[in-house]
Amino acid sequence: MKLAFDTHLPRPRADVVALFQDQSLRPRWQPGLAVIRPLAGTPGEAGARSELVCTLGPRRVVMVETVLTCAPPGHFAADYAVEGVANRVTHRFTPAADGTRWELTSEFTLPPVMGLMAPWLLPILRGQVERTVDGFRDFVIATLPPAAP
């Protein structure tokens, strides 16, 4: 299952990317994220692995994040693994006339049994990704001054 979001952030790309890359800020905008524990590599860089402890609804979930690509200021990609579900997330930040265009794609790979439930899972997964997009957008707008005209 692949989800795609295209969001306008009315702030300069360099500032948006700096917020995005700051691991210490992630719990402020990523819904349910409580703890980030580095496991291997330099956090935020390609090849780094971290354990993320999140609350999703009533459940506490532990997932492993593996950074695939870190090519600021425009491209970031990571894999997330939890309970047999894999999610590859790609972020692209491009300059826009009055800020930054943020394109996010999220591609879920489900185990065969869960794949049968995909039609019912899609709204739940879409909602979770939308909350992340909304959280970051709102955080950027609240934190940074507007882009110059």
Side-chain angles (χ1 to χ4, degrees), residues 75-91:
H75 184 245
F76 302 89
D79 279 343
Y80 298 87
V82 60
E83 299 176 9
V85 175
N87 182 16
R88 177 160 293 174
V89 181
T90 303
H91 305 269

Side-chain angles (χ1 to χ4, degrees), residues 25-60:
L25 297 176
R26 280 178 69 181
R28 292 180 56 193
W29 59 264
Q30 193 168 347
L33 179 60
V35 177
I36 303 172
R37 288 189 194 102
L39 299 174
T42 302
E45 291 187 7
R49 293 179 61 236
S50 299
E51 180 180 80
L52 308 179
V53 179
C54 305
T55 302
L56 300 176
R59 296 182 43 208
R60 181 181 163 190

Side-chain angles (χ1 to χ4, degrees), residues 1-7 20 26 30 56 63 65 68 75-82 85-92 102-110 121-133:
M1 287 187 297
K2 189 172 186 177
L3 303 172
F5 296 85
D6 193 335
T7 304
F20 182 82
R26 280 178 69 181
Q30 193 168 347
L56 300 176
M63 68 180 80
E65 172 189 68
L68 302 172
H75 184 245
F76 302 89
D79 279 343
Y80 298 87
V82 60
V85 175
N87 182 16
R88 177 160 293 174
V89 181
T90 303
H91 305 269
R92 294 191 191 285
W102 174 31
E103 298 169 86
L104 179 148
T105 58
S106 182
E107 191 165 356
F108 291 90
T109 304
L110 305 172
L121 289 174
L122 183 60
I124 295 167
L125 297 174
R126 176 176 288 285
Q128 184 62 36
V129 176
E130 282 178 349
R131 283 188 291 282
T132 299
V133 169

Side-chain angles (χ1 to χ4, degrees), residues 8-11 19 134-146:
H8 177 262
L9 303 169
R11 304 299 190 259
L19 287 181
D134 292 346
F136 185 64
R137 184 196 62 236
D138 294 348
F139 179 69
V140 165
I141 291 169
T143 305
L144 296 172

